[in-house]
Amino acid sequence: MSRAVLPRRTVLRGMLAGGISVVIPLPRMAAMLNGNGTAYASGAALPLRYGTWFFGNGINPPEWVPAATGVGNAWTLSPSLMPLQPVKSYLQVITGLTNMIPADPAHKGRPAAALTGATSAADVLLPSIDQVLVPFLNTGAMPALPNGLHVGISNTSGAGALDLRISFRGPNASNPPEYDPENVFQQLVMFGGGKSTGGTMGPAGPDPELARRKRALDAVLDSAAALRARLGKADQIRLDQHLDGVHQIENQIAILSTMRTTPTATSAKLADPATAYPNMGAVGSITALRCKAMSDLIVFALATDLTRIFSFMFSCAACHGNYADAGLDPVTFHEDYGHRKSPKGPAYATQGFLTGVKYAMTNFNDTLTRMMNCADGAGNLLDNSVVYSTSCTSESQTHSGNDYPVLVAGKAGGLLKTDQHLRLASGPPGTLGAPNGENVCKVPYTLLTALGRPQGPWGMGASQASSGIAALLA
């Protein structure tokens, strides 16, 4: 029996009471692919994706840099990176990098360089990595979100930093992150259509209460049943899992939306966030639950080809939010822990800072694990993606630019090596990081050229890179 062949833009359609149409995109299914699962049935290659995952306030180099270099079993993760063990086989840790931009002002020029290849003045001077890749990753297609999906967790910044932005189309043209997963959900499910008003058809905006009072899933059941009858067994299972995922995301967001928004003060240590911080779902708060909701939505958007680009700002440059969800005191993480100003002393603050960095990496692992667990062709999303992670400084107290933190995850369709620690400076990191390392901008240059940007200088001034790092490539 010949197998069913589906167009790659197949969607489920339905209608809610009141005339609001619902469209739910589908993940990549076997019926959309060739017999090997390596390309679309039409012959088009599977798309590659790019993401930036940013965390503020830097690192402690001795706790960040792994002790051994090499590939596979030759190296192990450092204490700060240990939460990434589940995705080590997809990870490249690049150390011995130097950010060539002076720390003036702190938390601004250096993250701008790591994201755009140039320092910043009143604003950034060049587009960020994700926006440079837009025309290359979208070749031959027009995703619903061509410039990417941009989300954030903490919306608390510090003066003089890069502010609440990590994605830039150019100077004075940023892509601000969305902090509310409910708003992201409504955007992705693409609620729309029209309503009749006095005999005239006009556009109808999203129903802000839709996720709470009527599941969109119900509206497309007939469409889903008709499609299911055309699918093979494997695709039927994938369709069911996809719809279960939509259902789960709706439930999670509905729960988040009903949580209290009045902060609860506490000095408890290692407290259960569900009881000590009942407002953990508040927009702008740094919580693992909010990160999981955003990661689910990013995976949904990538798997359904609504976008091929994302940015995830876990915490912004010089973030002054608190990491109470990680068991730390409900104080500014930047000051009390990053700059060791806690009234409980520097030793306490240093240990708390390590806890905070590990907490950020725990949430990064969650994003990567969800991508790894999402099927994509013959592999998974991480097989066909690259995620670049960095921060706004290296050593947090002095704003050092040495041993600047950079992680690369994903195989990018087989273009990149994985499970590697590559060190590009001689000697151990020391307290402030090893000096005279390789230009940090060579890492994004390598990714840009691997994903389609032509060879040639990228960046400006001291940060400009004209060659990549061959050891990162497969």
Side-chain angles (χ1 to χ4, degrees):
M1 184 178 70
S2 61
R3 69 188 186 98
V5 176
L6 294 179
R8 59 176 173 162
R9 299 294 182 187
T10 302
V11 297
L12 300 179
R13 299 181 182 275
M15 188 72 68
L16 293 173
I20 299 177
S21 64
V22 176
V23 179
I24 295 182
L26 293 171
R28 200 157 288 106
M29 293 182 153
M32 301 175 183
L33 307 174
N34 64 13
N36 298 322
T38 57
Y40 285 113
S42 65
L46 292 177
L48 299 180
R49 293 79 155 196
Y50 170 84
T52 295
W53 205 99
F54 188 90
F55 64 102
N57 294 323
I59 60 166
N60 183 14
E63 300 282 354
W64 178 269
V65 177
T69 60
V71 178
N73 293 332
W75 72 289
T76 58
L77 293 165
S78 63
S80 290
L81 298 174
M82 195 57 68
L84 293 164
Q85 184 64 43
V87 293
K88 178 177 178 284
S89 61
Y90 281 90
L91 192 66
Q92 294 198 76
V93 179
I94 306 98
T95 64
L97 298 168
T98 295
N99 194 310
M100 303 299 181
I101 299 300
D104 184 21
H107 303 284
K108 186 170 185 178
R110 283 182 173 154
L115 295 169
T116 71
T119 189
S120 61
D123 197 22
V124 298
L125 304 176
L126 295 173
S128 52
I129 306 161
D130 59 313
Q131 296 306 291
V132 173
L133 287 170
V134 164
F136 303 108
L137 296 185
N138 290 342
T139 299
M142 182 50 69
L145 301 170
N147 291 328
L149 178 63
H150 306 286
V151 304
I153 301 301
S154 174
N155 58 7
T156 304
S157 185
L162 200 59
D163 300 323
L164 300 169
R165 306 166 300 160
I166 61 170
S167 175
F168 307 88
R169 300 185 303 281
N172 303 308
S174 63
N175 295 311
E178 172 57 61
Y179 299 98
D180 190 339
E182 184 174 3
N183 291 342
V184 178
F185 175 79
Q186 292 178 1
Q187 181 183 27
L188 296 186
V189 182
M190 297 186 299
F191 299 114
K195 290 185 178 181
S196 177
T197 304
T200 302
M201 293 298 295
D207 181 347
E209 299 297 319
L210 187 57
R212 287 188 281 274
R213 64 180 173 81
K214 177 65 178 176
R215 285 187 170 83
L217 204 55
D218 294 340
V220 297
L221 288 180
D222 291 341
S223 177
L227 174 63
R228 197 175 191 282
R230 300 169 54 196
L231 300 176
K233 186 173 182 180
D235 275 346
Q236 289 180 355
I237 294 173
R238 185 169 295 181
L239 175 64
D240 293 342
Q241 290 174 338
H242 179 66
L243 296 179
D244 285 345
V246 174
H247 187 119
Q248 182 180 7
I249 291 171
E250 278 193 319
N251 284 340
Q252 290 173 342
I253 292 171
I255 293 170
L256 285 168
S257 300
T258 61
M259 289 182 175
R260 288 176 51 187
T261 58
T262 304
T264 300
T266 178
S267 58
K269 309 293 186 301
L270 299 175
D272 180 358
T275 56
Y277 304 99
N279 63 315
M280 63 181 175
V283 172
S285 61
I286 304 173
T287 72
L289 181 58
R290 185 161 290 276
C291 289
K292 291 178 189 296
M294 287 300 196
S295 294
D296 280 342
L297 293 163
I298 287 170
V299 168
F300 180 92
L302 296 175
T304 57
D305 210 19
L306 287 176
T307 193
R308 298 175 181 181
I309 292 164
F310 73 88
S311 67
F312 192 128
M313 190 182 72
F314 171 74
S315 55
C316 67
C319 177
H320 281 249
N322 74 70
Y323 282 24
D325 189 44
L328 300 182
D329 297 334
V331 294
T332 164
F333 182 76
H334 174 274
E335 294 293 310
D336 283 53
Y337 294 101
H339 284 285
R340 314 297 197 268
K341 293 182 179 180
S342 170
K344 298 179 181 179
Y348 174 88
T350 298
Q351 183 57 45
F353 183 73
L354 173 61
T355 297
V357 174
K358 291 176 70 174
Y359 176 71
M361 292 300 99
T362 298
N363 285 282
F364 184 37
N365 173 72
D366 184 77
T367 301
L368 296 178
T369 297
R370 288 166 194 268
M371 293 178 68
M372 183 177 65
N373 290 340
C374 180
D376 189 58
N380 59 60
L381 279 178
L382 267 187
D383 288 322
N384 296 317
S385 302
V386 55
V387 184
Y388 169 76
S389 180
T390 190
S391 188
C392 56
T393 187
S394 178
E395 200 281 320
S396 61
Q397 297 183 84
T398 62
H399 306 127
S400 169
N402 297 322
D403 265 311
Y404 207 82
V406 169
L407 305 172
V408 174
K411 297 182 179 180
L415 297 173
L416 299 177
K417 288 182 182 177
T418 52
D419 200 356
Q420 174 177 222
H421 172 214
L422 180 66
R423 184 149 181 80
L424 300 173
S426 59
T431 304
L432 305 181
N436 305 315
E438 192 64 85
N439 181 2
V440 67
C441 291
K442 285 194 171 186
V443 176
Y445 180 94
T446 306
L447 303 181
L448 286 166
T449 53
L451 293 174
R453 179 188 180 273
Q455 295 280 344
W458 176 72
M460 293 173 59
S463 290
Q464 187 178 84
S466 299
S467 62
I469 302 171
L472 300 179
L473 302 175

